[in-house]
C-alpha cells in the first residue's frame, strides 16, 4: 500500500510537467505526422488522406536531383561550412584567452562573448548592412586588401558563404565559453611536465590540450550540427533562400511550403519529419564514429 501511495505521489508531482510536455511536445509531434499523410486542396481547404504520397514525392525529388535534393545539399554544405570553422576559431580563441591573452581587459573579452546575447534576427540585420554593396564594411575591407568588391547576397557563388559567416559569428560566443571552460579544466601539471621534457607550444596543444579537450569538442560538434541544420533567421533576413535556391536549406523550404503563398502543410510536415530523422541519424553517426575517440579523464 505504501509503495502504491509513493507511486501515486510521484505521478502527482510529475503531472504538471507531463501535461505541459503532452500539450506542447507530444501532441504536436503526433499531429504533425498525421498532417504529413494528408493533402490540403489549394482552394476550399478540403483535407484528403494521401498516405505516404508526400514522402514518395520527396524521395523522387531526392533521387532525380529536384528541389528537395538541392535543399538537402545546401543544408549539408552549410553545416560543413559552419561547424568546423566555428569550432576551430572558438578553440583557438579559448586557448589564447586561457594562456597568452589571459590578461586581456574585460572589454576585449566582452567583445568576443557578445554575440551569444544577440538574436538570430538581429544578426541577420547587422550582416545585411555589412554586406551592403554601397555602404557595407565587408567590401570596404576586402578592397583595402586589393580584391574586387563581392556581391555577397546576390551572387550564387557567395550567398551561402555570406550566411555561413554570419552564423559562425553568432555562435562564436557560445562556442568560446564552452571551449574556454574545457581548456581551463585541464590540470596545469601536464603542461609543466611537458615543458620539462622540452615540448614547445604546438606540441603541448597537440598532445595535451586537444586530446583532453575531446569531450568538449564532441559536445560542441553535436550542438553545432543540430543548430546549423535548423538555421532559419539569417537565411530569411539575408537572402530569402536566394538567389535562385542557392541558400534554401531544409528548414527554410519547410517554412516556404507551409506558410508562403499556397500552403502545402502536409508536404511541409513530411519534410519536417525527414529533417528530424536526419538530425537523429547524424547524431547517432557522431556518437558511433567519434564518441569512442573521446578521452574522459
Amino acid at each position: 500500500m505504501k509503495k502504491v501511495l509513493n507511486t501515486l505521489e510521484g505521478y502527482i508531482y510529475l503531472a504538471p510537467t507531463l501535461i505541459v510536455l503532452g500539450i506542447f511536445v507530444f501532441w504536436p509531434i503526433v499531429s504533425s505526422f498525421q498532417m504529413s499523410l494528408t493533402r490540403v486542396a489549394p482552394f476550399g481547404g478540403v483535407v484528403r488522406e494521401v498516405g505516404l504520397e508526400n514522402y514518395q514525392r520527396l524521395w523522387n525529388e531526392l533521387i532525380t536531383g529536384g528541389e528537395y535534393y538541392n535543399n538537402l545539399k545546401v543544408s549539408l554544405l552549410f553545416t560543413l561550412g559552419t561547424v568546423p570553422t566555428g569550432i576551430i576559431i572558438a578553440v583557438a580563441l579559448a586557448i589564447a584567452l586561457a594562456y597568452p591573452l589571459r590578461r586581456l581587459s574585460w572589454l576585449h573579452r566582452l567583445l568576443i562573448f557578445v554575440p551569444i546575447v544577440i538574436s538570430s534576427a538581429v544578426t541577420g540585420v547587422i550582416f545585411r548592412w555589412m554586406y551592403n554593396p554601397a555602404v557595407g564594411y565587408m567590401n570596404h575591407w576586402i578592397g583595402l586588401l586589393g580584391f574586387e568588391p563581392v556581391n555577397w547576397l546576390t551572387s550564387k557563388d557567395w550567398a551561402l558563404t555570406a550566411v555561413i559567416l554570419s552564423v559562425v559569428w553568432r555562435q562564436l560566443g557560445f562556442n568560446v565559453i564552452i571551449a574556454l571552460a574545457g581548456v581551463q579544466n585541464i590540470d596545469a601539471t601536464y603542461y609543466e611536465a611537458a615543458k620539462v621534457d622540452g615540448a614547445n607550444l604546438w606540441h603541448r596543444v597537440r598532445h595535451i590540450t586537444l586530446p583532453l579537450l575531446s569531450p568538449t569538442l564532441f559536445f560542441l560538434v553535436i550542438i553545432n550540427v543540430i543548430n546549423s541544420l535548423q538555421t532559419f533567421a539569417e537565411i530569411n533576413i539575408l537572402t530569402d533562400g536566394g538567389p535562385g535556391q542557392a541558400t534554401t536549406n531544409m528548414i527554410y523550404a519547410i517554412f516556404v511550403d507551409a506558410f508562403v503563398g499556397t500552403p502545402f502543410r502536409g508536404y511541409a510536415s513530411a519534410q519536417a519529419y525527414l529533417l528530424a530523422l536526419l538530425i537523429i541519424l547524424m547524431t547517432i553517426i557522431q556518437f558511433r564514429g567519434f564518441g569512442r575517440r573521446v578521452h574522459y579523464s
Side-chain angles (χ1 to χ4, degrees), residues 38 47 63 68 83 85-86 109 116 140 143 158 175 186 189 198 219 227 251 275 277-278:
T38 64
V47 179
I63 62 177
Y68 190 67
V83 176
T85 305
R109 289 175 176 265
I116 197 173
H140 174 70
W158 288 100
N175 291 338
I186 298 175
T189 56
F219 170 78
N227 289 339
I251 195 73
L275 175 58
L277 290 176
L278 176 63

Side-chain angles (χ1 to χ4, degrees), residues 42-250:
F43 304 100
V46 178
V47 179
R48 183 165 62 91
E49 297 287 341
V50 294
L52 299 177
E53 183 178 310
N54 290 321
Y55 294 96
Q56 182 64 43
R57 176 183 171 186
L58 290 170
W59 174 253
N60 292 336
E61 289 187 2
L62 182 62
I63 62 177
T64 58
E67 289 186 5
Y68 190 67
Y69 171 81
N70 174 80
N71 301 339
L72 176 61
K73 182 180 71 173
V74 170
S75 294
L76 295 178
L77 289 175
F78 182 79
T79 301
L80 189 62
T82 55
V83 176
T85 305
I87 292 178
I88 290 173
I89 295 174
V91 170
L93 284 174
I95 294 173
L97 289 172
Y99 299 108
L101 301 181
R102 61 182 178 272
R103 296 183 180 179
L104 279 181
S105 68
W106 66 269
L107 179 61
H108 293 90
R109 289 175 176 265
L110 178 64
L111 292 176
I112 295 174
F113 297 138
V114 72
I116 197 173
V117 300
I118 296 179
S119 68
S120 302
V122 174
T123 300
V125 172
I126 291 173
F127 275 83
R128 189 176 182 86
W129 171 73
M130 292 183 65
Y131 291 138
N132 188 288
V135 298
Y137 278 107
M138 294 297 287
N139 280 340
H140 174 70
W141 289 334
I142 65 175
L144 295 177
L145 298 175
F147 296 101
E148 293 294 325
V150 174
N151 295 321
W152 291 98
L153 303 180
T154 58
S155 170
K156 290 185 178 181
D157 297 327
W158 288 100
L160 188 61
T161 301
V163 180
I164 287 173
L165 291 176
S166 66
V167 173
V168 168
W169 180 80
R170 176 174 59 83
Q171 295 179 346
L172 185 63
F174 172 81
N175 291 338
V176 171
I177 287 177
I178 300 298
L180 181 60
V183 171
Q184 292 178 334
N185 195 43
I186 298 175
D187 195 337
T189 56
Y190 292 116
Y191 297 106
E192 295 172 0
K195 287 181 180 179
V196 172
D197 292 337
N200 57 29
L201 176 61
W202 166 244
H203 287 103
R204 294 197 298 272
V205 170
R206 179 183 177 186
H207 297 289
I208 298 176
T209 304
L210 294 182
L212 294 179
L213 199 61
S214 57
T216 303
L217 295 177
F218 183 54
F219 170 78
L220 286 176
V221 168
I222 292 177
I223 296 300
N224 278 265
V225 167
I226 294 174
N227 289 339
S228 295
L229 289 173
Q230 298 181 93
T231 297
F232 168 78
E234 285 87 357
I235 293 175
N236 186 40
I237 293 173
L238 290 174
T239 63
D240 283 329
Q245 290 186 319
T247 58
T248 301
N249 63 354
M250 298 174 72

Side-chain angles (χ1 to χ4, degrees), residues 8-21:
L8 291 175
E9 186 178 359
Y11 283 134
I12 292 173
Y13 284 133
L14 290 174
T17 301
L18 294 176
I19 292 173
V20 171
L21 289 176

